[in-house]
């Protein structure tokens, strides 16, 4: 059968109601300034001339009806997937007349069936597209009514910091102290840590803004915030600066950036906060890092020791070693040695049912400084959608199991556990972080929330924006294109970082004060937690409340 | 809030005098239980020989007493004295009390060969076996302490009524140290094992306040897998076990207890002469940081007594007395009642950095501050 040629309808044809976001444009308000079309990261909208027939009906004998035409100008939405509207809302943000806005399409979204054109599955940035957050449902309900008097969050003195690094059992500490033997390095840090986002994934302005903000938190506000680099190292000036002490350097399977770091060691003024060895990431378990060619600018290429403009996929595993146990052991030892055993070294793994095995391996490794577990709700700059949405392990039960395993061994103070993945997913960063701490985490790593709160990242779990992998970040957060990242002022980011951490500090006190806790971070204080789901309560061994 | 009173004197005195002194602190208190721990004992009817073992507890039925006798006999403990209280059970709220046990035993002959540490462990394990035996039989046997020169009495009810019910006013028992806690039914259901003072291997403490960090501390202590670190019917039992851990497992001086439960801040440790060591100690013992508000009073086998408080204790305990007689109480009026003939101007209320120690010679108080150094010969 021959297809009717003048109807361009193919299996993949889409129209507005098929797309996740439909652009609503009000012609009566539009002044045709063109700002929306020029800011749109996907070129989803365009300015167009249209012609409209104006039929005229003359009633009267002998008069022949005439039809005239009117032309008009308007904004139209493209319907091919490459140019789909991603709902970022930049058009609305720049429109001086409130004439345009993306509206979420509540209908069935047929577009999802076609995110495989050319045989390529959907890749994107962001998090698992799932709004639900178990952590949002955990509440703090062991309210201390008997203390004399109840704590005043505003005036009382609170100890909010946590420890990063291997802590010896007391007997062993005393023995080594007496014998003058090595005592593992321990850092006292704020329990909310800016998680690893690489210098290549983030724009220079974003990265600088974070660092400025972190330095301000430490040096002016007295909040000892640290940030992790992600793979790819960091600029030589930072390595040789006193700010290095606020930075956790990550080494990942591509080893990108480590030539620069190793070369800078003799010139370092201080030690880094810690070394993170990345074995896995919650958003994309089993995948290595991926920096697309268009993000590999000259600077990034230099830092990573590669030619500019090439894709930089890191292998899924550390290739140099035979087994994961051997790898963990040798990597931790090598990294410890590089800094004279003065810097805590710890692995980061993706949340997994096998996390406990890794943990028990670390318990027996006297150099392991911590374990960071990144749950399925962790963010990333680039991954396959299926990895993000369907691969991994939620953090709450994973972390809790590991903690209880340590408790059974009496070693919960020796290897601090850090949790990541979905912290502050819906903006409740302190609630989520404190819940994890009371479940047994020594602290939490926060990435996406920081991008959202400090830099105005537009991404969401309704798949808004999430084009971080394409180098077209409309806010200039995850782009190496100067035209885009100049939109982001690093001073503004720094100010927001400071505001965010000041607010977390206050909220931590508001959580701890009614629980009667102030003298140490309530790690493992699970008797304070409740949730309105009996099964979850049983699994997490917390109280069921309704 | 629970009421605490501790009196220590060179001349033995009746525990009843401490119970009556507690009446002074009755305001704002619901008096739902009494715990007494006596050291430096002397009996009217019996010449106690220092070093003999004293078993304290309650048998709630004849069967329990029978099993207890069997266990002690089988273990080679020779009964030397069985103190019969002049009881008036009608005054006791609980109706299942059969016999209050306060018995003196001679240690089995074989123990002579044992090291002191072994003896101490055997005593604790014997107490635990009896406790477990009671628990396995519907809680028909409660054992509080088994140790030389230590007697413990615990009962539910108003303290003075309990004292009368046990005839403690008959002056047949006297002691050089009496720790008394009047319990307020706070956050845990009343259970005799939940009554202070808590005891483990010669070390006893009692507390008032609320231990908000109870669960993480308990989890950590349980992880030591030390047989005596069990119970925790009260959130305050961990204070006793921490003291035991610091003194007996870590073999640190008494002062270290204060640094473990209420460490100084990082800024303070940075300028402390033993700062490096103390920071490491704080990190290693981080799960033992208490998060009160709590006032802890304790006594040691050598009759040393101590009092410490945390940062948040807004109504501190008071300590006062004169050479030879000292008292500590959770309320100022308690000290007045315990040692009226003293100079109250010299009373002391410890601040968050203090540990007050009454040494066995009872000549004067030692007020030690965490900002001072403490003797740590091998470590510092
Ligand atoms: S919401 Fe974003 S992607 Fe959609 S039309 Fe507006 S600017 Fe373009
Ligand atoms: S604003 Fe930038 S960083 Fe945020 S989701 Fe969009 S592309 Fe990614």
């Amino acid at each position: 059968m021959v297809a009717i040629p003048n109807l361009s309808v193919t299996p993949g044809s889409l129209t507005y109601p098929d797309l996740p976001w439909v652009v609503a444009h009000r012609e009566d308000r539009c002044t045709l300034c063109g700002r929306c079309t020029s800011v749109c990261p996907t070129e989803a909208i365009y300015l167009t001339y249209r012609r409209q027939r104006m039929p005229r009906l003359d009633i009267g004998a002998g008069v022949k009806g005439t039809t005239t035409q009117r032309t008009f100008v308007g904004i139209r939405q493209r319907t091919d997937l490459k140019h789909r509207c991603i709902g970022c809302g930049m058009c609305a943000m720049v429109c001086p007349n409130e004439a345009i806005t993306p509206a979420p399409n509540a209908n069935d979204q047929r577009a999802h069936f076609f995110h495989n054109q050319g045989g390529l599955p959907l890749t994107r940035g962001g998090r698992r597209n799932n709004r639900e957050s178990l952590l949002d449902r955990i509440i703090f309900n062991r309210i201390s009514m008997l203390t004399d008097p109840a704590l005043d969050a505003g005036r009382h003195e609170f100890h909010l910091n946590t420890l990063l690094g291997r802590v010896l059992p007391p007997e062993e500490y005393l023995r080594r102290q007496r014998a003058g033997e090595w005592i593992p390095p321990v850092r006292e840090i704020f329990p909310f840590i800016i998680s690893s986002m690489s210098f290549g994934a983030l724009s220079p302005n974003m990265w600088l803004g974070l660092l400025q903000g972190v330095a301000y938190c430490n040096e002016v506000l007295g909040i000892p915030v640290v940030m992790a680099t992600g793979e790819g190292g960091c600029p030589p000036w930072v390595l040789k600066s006193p700010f290095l002490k606020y930075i956790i350097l990550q080494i990942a399977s591509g080893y990108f950036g480590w030539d620069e770091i190793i070369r800078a060691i003799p010139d370092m003024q201080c030690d880094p906060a810690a070394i993170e060895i990345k074995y896995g990431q919650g958003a994309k378990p089993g995948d290595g890092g991926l920096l697309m060619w268009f993000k590999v600018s000259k600077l990034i290429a230099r830092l990573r020791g590669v030619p500019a403009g090439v894709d930089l996929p890191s292998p899924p595993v550390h290739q140099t070693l035979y087994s994961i146990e051997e790898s963990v052991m040798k990597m931790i030892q090598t990294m410890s040695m590089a800094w004279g055993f003065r810097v805590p070294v710890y692995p980061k793994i993706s949340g997994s049912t096998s996390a406990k095995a890794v943990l028990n391996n670390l318990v027996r490794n006297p150099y392991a400084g911590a374990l960071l577990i990144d749950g399925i709700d962790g963010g990333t700059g680039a991954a396959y959608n299926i990895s993000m949405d369907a691969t991994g392990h939620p953090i709450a039960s994973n972390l809790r199991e590991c903690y209880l395993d340590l408790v059974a061994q009496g070693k919960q103070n020796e290897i601090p556990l850090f949790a990541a993945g979905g912290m502050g997913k819906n903006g409740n960063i302190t609630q989520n972080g404190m819940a994890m701490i009371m479940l047994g985490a020594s602290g939490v790593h926060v990435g996406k929330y920081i991008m959202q709160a400090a830099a105005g990242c537009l991404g969401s779990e309704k798949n808004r924006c999430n084009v971080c992998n394409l180098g077209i970040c409309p806010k200039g957060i995850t782009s190496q294109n100067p035209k885009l990242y100049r939109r982001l002022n690093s001073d503004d980011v720094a100010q927001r970082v400071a505001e965010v951490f000041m607010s977390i500090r206050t909220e931590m006190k508001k959580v701890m004060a009614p629980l009667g806790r102030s003298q140490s971070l309530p790690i493992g204080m699970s008797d304070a937690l409740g949730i309105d789901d009996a099964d979850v309560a049983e699994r997490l061994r917390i109280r069921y409340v309704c | 809030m629970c009421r605490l009173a501790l009196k220590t004197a060179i001349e033995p005195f009746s525990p009843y005098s401490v119970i009556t002194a507690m009446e002074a602190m009755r305001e704002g208190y619901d008096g739902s239980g009494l715990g007494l721990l006596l050291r430096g004992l002397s009996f009217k009817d019996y010449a106690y020989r220092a070093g003999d073992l004293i078993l304290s507890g309650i048998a709630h039925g004849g069967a329990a007493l029978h099993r207890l006798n069997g266990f002690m006999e089988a273990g080679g403990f020779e009964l030397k004295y069985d103190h019969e209280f002049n009881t008036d059970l009608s005054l006791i709220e609980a109706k299942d009390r059969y016999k209050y046990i306060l018995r003196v035993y001679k240690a089995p002959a074989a123990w002579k060969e044992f090291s002191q540490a072994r003896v101490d462990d055997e005593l604790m394990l014997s107490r635990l076996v009896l406790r477990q035996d009671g628990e396995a039989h519907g809680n028909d046997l409660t054992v509080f302490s088994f140790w030389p020169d230590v007697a413990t009495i615990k009962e539910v009810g108003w303290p003075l009524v309990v004292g009368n019910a046990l005839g403690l006013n008959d002056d047949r028992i006297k002691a050089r140290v009496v720790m008394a806690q009047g319990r307020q039914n706070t956050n845990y259901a009343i259970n005799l094992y939940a009554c202070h003072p808590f005891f483990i291997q010669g070390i006893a403490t009692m507390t008032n306040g609320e231990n908000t960090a109870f669960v993480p501390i308990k989890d950590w202590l349980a992880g030591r897998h030390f047989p005596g670190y069990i119970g925790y019917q009260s959130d305050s039992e961990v204070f006793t076990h921490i003291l035991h851990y610091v003194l007996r497992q870590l073999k640190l001086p008494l002062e270290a207890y204060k640094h473990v439960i209420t460490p100084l801040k990082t800024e303070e440790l940075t300028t402390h002469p033993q700062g490096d060591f103390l920071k490491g100690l704080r990190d290693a013992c981080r799960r033992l940081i208490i998060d009160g508000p709590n006032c802890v009073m304790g006594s040691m086998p050598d009759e040393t007594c101590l009092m410490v408080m945390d940062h948040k204790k807004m109504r501190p305990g008071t300590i006062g007395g004169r050479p030879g007689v000292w008292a500590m109480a959770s309320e100022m009026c308690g000290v007045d009642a315990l040692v009226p003939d003293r100079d109250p101007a010299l009373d002391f209320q410890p601040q968050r950095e203090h540990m007050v120690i009454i040494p066995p010679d009872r000549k004067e108080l030692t007020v030690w501050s965490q900002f001072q150094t403490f003797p740590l010969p091998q470590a510092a």
Side-chain angles (χ1 to χ4, degrees), chain A residues 21-24 35-46 75-77 83-94 100-103 458 464-465 474:
Chain A
W21 299 87
V22 180
V23 177
R35 289 189 197 184
C36 57
T37 50
S38 60
V39 82
C40 178
T42 56
E43 292 168 24
I45 42 178
Y46 58 100
I75 304 291
R76 292 292 173 274
Q77 177 175 4
H83 297 108
R84 73 188 184 281
C85 169
I86 53 171
C88 68
M90 287 303 287
C91 51
M93 222 175 281
V94 297
I100 189 166
T101 188
L458 304 161
R464 183 173 169 186
C465 199

Side-chain angles (χ1 to χ4, degrees), chain A residues 255-328:
Chain A
Y255 306 108
F256 292 121
W258 274 78
D259 287 354
E260 275 302 327
I261 293 174
I262 299 295
R263 269 197 289 274
I265 288 181
D267 300 321
M268 286 181 184
Q269 295 183 38
C270 57
D271 290 329
I275 307 296
E276 175 178 292
I277 306 171
K278 182 184 142 189
Y279 285 93
Q281 193 176 338
K284 45 175 172 178
D287 276 352
L290 173 62
L291 200 64
M292 300 299 288
W293 63 268
F294 38 78
K295 282 190 160 186
V296 185
S297 66
K298 267 193 197 146
L299 174 63
I300 302 299
R302 207 189 82 214
L303 291 183
R304 295 196 170 205
V306 294
V310 294
D311 279 352
L312 296 181
S314 298
V317 291
H318 291 258
Q319 298 288 321
T320 43
L321 297 148
Y322 167 66
S323 69
I324 176 93
E325 294 87 359
E326 185 197 351
S327 162
V328 171

Side-chain angles (χ1 to χ4, degrees), chain B residues 6 8 254-255 257-258 295-300 303-309 316-321 326-328 346-359 364-370 372:
Chain B
L6 181 151
T8 172
L254 201 52
E255 289 86 345
Y257 179 56
K258 179 71 181 143
C295 169
V296 184
M297 297 180 193
S299 66
M300 303 299 124
E303 298 180 20
T304 298
C305 296
L306 69 97
M307 169 151 78
V308 287
M309 226 135 341
T318 306
I319 185 162
W326 298 95
M328 305 175 180
L346 300 177
D347 286 358
F348 187 76
Q349 294 193 314
Q351 300 300 301
R352 59 127 176 154
E353 73 271 22
H354 292 134
M355 174 179 257
V356 188
I357 301 169
I358 307 171
E364 55 184 17
L365 294 182
T366 313
V367 177
W368 173 82
S369 154
Q370 277 179 283
Q372 288 163 245

